[in-house]
Structure formats: C-alpha cells, structure tokens
Amino acid sequence: MAKFYIYKDSRGEYRWRFRANNNEIIADSAEGYKDKDDCKRGINLVKQQSPTAEVEDQTAATSSRY
C-alpha cells in the first residue's frame, strides 16, 4: 500500500516521504519543518493538489502539457 511517512532528519526537523506500493520512495518533502503540524499540512497539500496537477514536459523543444 502506498503511504506517507513522517520522520525526523539529522537536524531534528520533520520531513515526509511518499513510498509506492513496491516501497520505493517516489516523493519527499525536500525541506524540513520545525513543527510536525506544518509537515502534515505539506502532505495534505500534495494529496489535495496532485489529482488535478498538470504535467509539463520541459525537455521538449516547446513546452508541452498533458
């Protein structure tokens, strides 16, 4: 089952990872949060916004979306 994981980094800040069904990390917070609730808000933003997020291919000669 795909799942978000909250953990503390070496600086004592909260971060999240998202692991796919095969347990591979496919996304992470890329920043630390001093407050655990802020970390949870970051997870919720990803959950809310990703279903409708566009994909922009920036490797194409002209930027394309799909």
Side-chain angles (χ1 to χ4, degrees):
M1 167 186 248
K3 191 184 297 188
F4 284 93
Y5 293 86
I6 296 174
Y7 67 99
K8 279 192 169 183
D9 65 15
S10 60
R11 296 188 327 175
E13 294 183 330
Y14 294 95
R15 292 178 176 261
W16 59 262
R17 289 184 183 118
F18 183 68
R19 291 184 179 264
N21 291 342
N22 64 358
N23 207 34
E24 291 290 321
I25 298 169
I26 59 172
D28 63 45
S29 59
E31 67 176 299
Y33 300 91
K34 293 189 185 312
D35 188 75
K36 191 175 191 177
D37 285 337
D38 290 336
C39 185
K40 289 179 180 181
R41 276 191 278 283
I43 291 170
N44 285 331
L45 280 172
V46 172
K47 290 169 78 172
Q48 290 169 4
Q49 295 180 14
S50 60
T52 58
E54 293 181 356
V55 175
E56 183 173 325
D57 184 353
Q58 296 183 334
T59 64
T62 56
S63 196
S64 63
R65 295 180 183 194
Y66 59 95

